[in-house]
Amino acid sequence: AVGIPAVDTLSSDPQPQVLTWQKRGKTVIWSDDMLRLLAEGVTLHGLRNWSLVAEHVGCGVNRSNCWRRWKNFHDPSLKGFNSGPWS
């Protein structure tokens, strides 16, 4: 199985998630619910099926949004995982 953080670790930060992406010229903010769904989607569908992960997250995200968010901020193999302001 993939080393995936517990869902509750994604929402333990009292600061709101402010990392965003552009969707048709509008900035969209990752909510705690979206981060929980991202972790669930990776658990269910793995790291090679980002289209299904994006479908699981919903909210108009695509596979690239999910992959980048996971790769840059939530991948447990990142150095310092769960020790920074975004964990």
Side-chain angles (χ1 to χ4, degrees):
V2 180
I4 297 173
V7 172
D8 60 9
T9 63
L10 295 176
S11 61
S12 62
D13 186 8
Q15 298 289 329
Q17 297 292 328
V18 294
L19 296 170
T20 62
W21 77 90
Q22 294 291 318
K23 179 181 174 188
R24 295 185 189 149
K26 295 183 180 181
T27 301
V28 181
I29 298 173
W30 283 89
S31 69
D32 288 338
D33 287 338
M34 291 170 68
L35 295 174
R36 179 184 54 77
L37 290 169
L38 176 64
E40 285 177 4
V42 171
T43 301
L44 292 171
H45 305 295
L47 296 173
R48 294 184 178 254
N49 211 337
W50 292 106
S51 293
L52 289 177
V53 173
E55 199 173 294
H56 186 80
V57 174
C59 302
V61 298
N62 61 34
R63 63 185 181 175
S64 180
N65 300 139
C66 292
W67 175 75
R68 286 187 177 126
R69 180 65 189 209
W70 184 263
K71 176 183 76 117
N72 292 327
F73 302 102
H74 294 292
D75 185 352
S77 67
L78 292 173
K79 183 178 181 178
F81 181 71
N82 278 342
S83 63
W86 304 114
S87 56

